[in-house]
């Protein structure tokens, strides 16, 4: 995909179509909107005046241009709501709407005019990131009625802006957007195709392409490390487990000797195991590896953006299936740390594989850990598909993470993690149990992880409610969302900048 930042006047843009942001209640009486309105014989004024187009978020109005004096032959107005509420999320969504609408009209080159205030590099990154996210469709296995129209180029247009900054932002947006789409593609893959082995192969391919170190531990090595908790989940399956370990190392040595690790849940299919899930919607459990895919997508982005701090990525991958070998409710597992776990419900498997993966990240020297997982159905009850839950033991880390999310237009909401919740996961016969009862399911799952994250700065993201989008919106297809990739990249770059100053 070709992306360009351009500060040229809108009249000179040679794209198939121009998409421009329009705000509620505004008249096209200044700047680029005025130029466009003039070029289309006041059609913008007219459609606003007639109240056909109110510029509500996601609303669109589309024109064919003849003799307009513009090079482009199509114009799309994109409603962006109130001017005062136009922030990163809206800017990104505007880019996605431009892509999805204009691609359906066969536009190959699309010029986007975001009309946002503030840092041009940042605006370009945000809008192009959104435009690239708009390209994703989950229809890869359709042979008919498949979206096969291709966009070849995006231009972000900010008249008179610093050309170099614009171009830099556009490139960054492309890298981050494409990496999030890699995450989404993995999350969308059926369990039958994307096995733990296939997932490891894809991670290897990415590592090779972008110059990351990678180590994939197989069943024997996982056994040798004593990861009884991880293996207890994998046992019911004929597919061997894989522990993917990726590392990004900056060219220049950093001042601090801290190490950030990203740890992601990689259940390539979650049937629930012996505590089998009901059949309804079980097909969706192919996306239970979204945490691992988020780690891999983020590593792919930072390998290209090259922040000045090292980052470790750890992704335990396996299937959760019932069989004659499967772990049973009541069984006891021994984690790598030596902690014993009573398995109450084999469907609470995410925390079991993360326990060993978090412990392993510490063993590899991590001083700060962010883990991410489609961990609980309960998080959807609490926060729906709007906010991702964040919990942890380091309030500074949580605050900076939420702030990074704001900068890129992703929403996180903190849930409490008082020590009292740990009472719910005490077992009568082992150190802890893997289910804490009906109350506060998302929190007790996190309290379980906390048992393995002691001694480091740690935060956990429960993406079960936000990693899958249904229904489709004007800016995004139905299906995997790639949530948290953009925030993780932003957080890492901010940490690097802080480390340098
Ligand atoms: N993968 C599920 C959580 C999930 C549910 C993700 C819905 C996405 C959508 C997880 O492994 C699970 O099954 N959790 C159980 C835990 C329970 C048995 C304590 C749940 O949430 O029901
Ligand atoms: Mg489960
Ligand atoms: Zn699961």
């Amino acid at each position: 995909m070709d992306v360009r930042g351009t500060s040229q006047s809108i009249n000179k843009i040679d794209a198939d179509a121009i998409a421009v942001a329009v705000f509620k209640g505004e008249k096209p009486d200044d700047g680029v909107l005025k130029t466009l309105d003039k070029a289309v014989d006041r059609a913008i004024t007219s459609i606003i005046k007639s109240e056909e187009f109110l510029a509500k978020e996601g609303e669109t109005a589309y024109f064919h241009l003849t003799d307009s004096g513009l090079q482009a032959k199509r114009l799309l107005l994109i409603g962006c709501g109130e001017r005062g509420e136009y922030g990163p999320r809206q800017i990104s969504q505007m880019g996605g709407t431009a892509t999805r609408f204009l691609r359906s009209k066969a536009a190959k080159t699309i010029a986007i005019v975001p009309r946002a205030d503030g840092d041009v590099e940042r605006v370009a990154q945000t809008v192009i990131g959104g435009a690239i996210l708009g390209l994703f469709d989950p229809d890869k296995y359709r042979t008919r009625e498949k979206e096969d129209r291709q966009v070849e180029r995006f231009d972000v247009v900010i008249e008179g802006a610093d050309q170099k900054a614009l171009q830099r932002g556009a490139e960054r947006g492309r890298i981050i957007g494409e990496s999030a789409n890699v995450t989404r593609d993995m999350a969308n893959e059926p369990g039958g195709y994307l096995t733990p082995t296939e997932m490891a192969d894809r991670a290897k391919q990415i590592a090779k392409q972008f110059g990351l170190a990678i180590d994939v531990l197989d069943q024997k090595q996982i056994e040798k490390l004593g990861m009884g908790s991880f293996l207890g989940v994998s046992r019911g399956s004929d597919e061997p487990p894989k522990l993917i370990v990726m590392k990004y190392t900056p060219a220049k040595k950093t001042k601090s000797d801290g190490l950030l690790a990203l740890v992601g849940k990689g259940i390539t299919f979650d049937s629930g195991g012996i505590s089998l899930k009901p059949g309804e919607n079980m097909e969706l459990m192919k996306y239970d590896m979204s945490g691992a895919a988020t780690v891999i997508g983020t590593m792919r982005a930072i390998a290209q953006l090259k922040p000045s701090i090292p980052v470790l990525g750890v992704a335990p991958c396996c299937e959760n299936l019932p069989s004659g070998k499967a772990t049973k409710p009541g069984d006891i597992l021994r984690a790598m740390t030596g902690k014993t776990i009573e398995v109450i419900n084999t469907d609470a498997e995410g925390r079991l594989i993360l326990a060993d993966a978090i412990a392993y990240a510490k063993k590899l020297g991590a001083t700060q850990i962010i883990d991410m997982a489609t961990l609980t159905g309960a998080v959807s009850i609490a926060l729906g598909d709007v906010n991702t839950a964040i919990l942890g033991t380091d309030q500074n880390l949580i605050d900076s993470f939420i702030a990074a999310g704001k900068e890129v237009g992703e929403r996180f909401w903190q849930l409490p993690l008082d020590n009292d919740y740990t009472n719910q996961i005490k077992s009568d016969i082992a150190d802890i149990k893997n289910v804490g009862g009906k109350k506060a399911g998302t929190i007790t799952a996190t309290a379980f992880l906390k048992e393995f994250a002691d001694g480091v700065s740690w935060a956990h993201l429960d993406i079960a409610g936000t990693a899958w989008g249904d229904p489709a919106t004007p800016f995004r297809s139905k299906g995997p969302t790639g949530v948290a990739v953009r925030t993780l990249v932003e957080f890492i770059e901010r940490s690097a900048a802080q480390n340098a100053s």
Side-chain angles (χ1 to χ4, degrees):
M1 175 63 51
D2 191 13
V3 296
R4 290 192 205 167
T6 169
S7 46
Q8 277 184 321
S9 135
I10 195 73
N11 297 305
K12 300 211 175 101
I13 306 295
D14 72 328
D16 293 340
I18 294 172
V20 62
V22 181
F23 304 102
K24 262 190 191 163
E26 78 167 334
K27 291 195 190 82
D29 52 10
D30 106 293
V32 68
L33 207 59
K34 185 175 181 180
T35 315
L36 286 169
D37 193 37
K38 240 191 207 159
V40 298
D41 251 349
R42 315 279 171 210
I44 300 178
T45 300
S46 165
I47 200 169
I48 292 173
K49 220 172 175 180
S50 67
E51 297 184 0
E52 268 171 76
F53 178 77
L54 300 171
K56 286 189 251 175
E57 258 185 56
E59 201 183 355
T60 45
Y62 183 58
F63 304 88
H64 273 233
L65 312 180
T66 45
D67 300 325
S68 68
L70 299 174
Q71 312 255 337
K73 295 289 170 280
R74 316 261 191 281
L75 176 65
L76 177 66
L77 310 185
I78 300 182
C80 290
E82 301 288 346
R83 193 25 146 163
E85 286 164 27
Y86 192 51
R89 188 165 53 80
Q90 290 77 6
I91 296 168
S92 165
Q93 291 177 359
M94 185 269 172
T97 303
T99 300
R100 297 188 72 73
F101 189 102
L102 291 169
R103 183 181 59 179
S104 78
K105 306 295 182 199
K108 288 193 164 55
T109 53
I110 299 174
I112 308 178
V113 190
R115 300 183 67 224
D117 301 327
D119 183 67
V120 293
E121 180 173 343
R122 172 65 67 180
V123 170
Q125 173 184 327
T126 307
V127 77
I128 292 294
I132 300 273
L133 288 171
L135 290 170
F136 181 85
D137 270 301
D139 62 358
K140 117 177 223 200
Y141 294 107
R142 262 198 200 142
T143 59
R144 292 187 292 171
E145 291 173 57
K146 187 180 161 72
E147 178 57 76
D148 56 5
R149 288 175 165 160
Q150 300 280 336
V151 179
E152 287 162 9
R153 196 187 82 216
F154 289 111
D155 296 344
V156 50
V157 186
I158 305 182
E159 289 186 346
D162 175 351
Q163 176 75 36
K164 280 204 177 124
L166 260 179
Q167 185 62 39
R168 262 198 320 270
E171 277 302 327
R172 292 172 47 78
R174 179 186 62 78
I175 290 167
I176 297 165
E178 286 176 354
S179 296
N181 285 348
V182 166
T183 296
R184 296 165 86 188
D185 180 55
M186 285 193 271
N188 189 49
E189 289 286 12
Y193 292 159
L194 192 80
T195 58
T197 305
E198 171 65 18
M199 208 151 167
D201 288 346
R202 290 198 187 192
K204 279 182 198 161
Q205 193 267 324
I206 288 168
K208 193 170 165 200
Q209 185 178 354
F210 299 103
L212 293 163
I214 186 163
D215 194 10
V216 175
L217 278 61
D218 63 14
Q219 168 125 15
K220 272 217 178 93
Q221 293 168 293
I222 297 167
E223 278 166 9
K224 215 166 165 194
L225 285 162
M227 297 185 170
S229 189
F230 180 16
L231 289 166
V233 176
S234 180
R235 308 176 44 109
S237 163
D238 287 346
E239 289 290 337
K242 301 285 170 190
L243 181 62
I244 303 171
V245 183
M246 303 171 96
K247 184 149 188 207
Y248 163 77
T249 308
K252 267 194 263 158
K253 241 184 127 38
T254 39
K255 273 197 300 198
S256 116
D257 50 7
L259 176 60
L260 168 66
L262 310 179
V263 178
K265 169 179 174 182
I267 296 291
T268 58
F269 189 76
D270 182 12
S271 73
I274 296 296
S275 315
L276 194 64
K277 286 181 182 294
E280 201 183 352
N281 294 329
M282 202 205 273
E283 73 282 1
L284 263 183
M285 282 301 112
K286 65 178 185 176
Y287 90 96
D288 212 20
M289 31 53 69
S290 293
T294 303
V295 171
I296 297 169
T298 303
M299 296 301 289
R300 183 189 184 278
I302 63 166
Q304 296 167 79
L305 297 170
K306 304 189 189 307
S308 61
I309 54 167
V311 182
L312 185 68
V314 179
C317 299
C318 72
E319 296 186 327
N320 185 24
L321 295 181
S323 84
K325 289 208 196 92
T327 292
K328 305 161 189 72
D331 283 353
I332 308 270
L333 305 174
R334 184 182 297 271
M336 187 175 90
T337 58
K339 252 191 192 129
T340 54
I341 303 161
E342 181 189 8
V343 177
I344 300 294
N345 188 318
T346 63
D347 197 12
E349 84 298 341
R351 62 200 77 179
L352 294 174
I353 71 170
L354 288 171
D356 280 333
I358 289 170
Y360 190 60
K362 286 202 296 191
K363 195 179 155 102
L364 294 181
T367 53
Q368 182 162 67
I369 297 178
I370 302 174
D371 83 78
M372 59 222 76
T374 46
L375 203 63
T376 64
V379 78
S380 303
I381 307 295
L383 300 175
D385 57 8
V386 176
N387 279 277
T388 297
I390 182 167
L391 310 89
T393 50
D394 180 348
Q395 195 58 44
N396 282 332
L397 168 61
I398 292 168
D399 290 341
S400 345
F401 198 84
I402 294 172
K406 288 214 168 85
E407 185 78 75
V408 300
E410 291 191 312
R411 290 172 284 194
F412 296 84
W413 196 263
Q414 185 178 4
L415 298 182
L417 190 60
D418 309 61
N419 287 330
D420 308 59
Y421 291 106
T422 303
N423 295 332
Q424 283 177 243
I425 55 160
K426 286 194 174 136
S427 163
D428 295 333
I429 65 165
D431 296 331
I432 46 175
K433 57 184 178 183
N434 77 333
V435 168
K438 280 214 178 73
K439 296 176 185 170
T442 302
I443 301 175
T444 53
T446 314
F448 182 95
L449 299 178
K450 187 167 123 187
E451 295 290 308
F452 300 88
D454 51 334
V456 292
S457 154
W458 167 68
H460 159 71
L461 313 175
D462 194 333
I463 60 173
T466 50
W468 195 265
D470 187 4
T473 68
F475 58 90
R476 188 211 64 215
S477 70
K478 176 176 162 177
T481 61
V483 71
V485 171
R486 285 177 289 171
T487 304
L488 284 159
V489 170
E490 178 69 23
F491 173 81
I492 291 165
E493 293 198 302
R494 286 176 172 212
S495 302
Q498 241 179 26
N499 193 255
S501 65

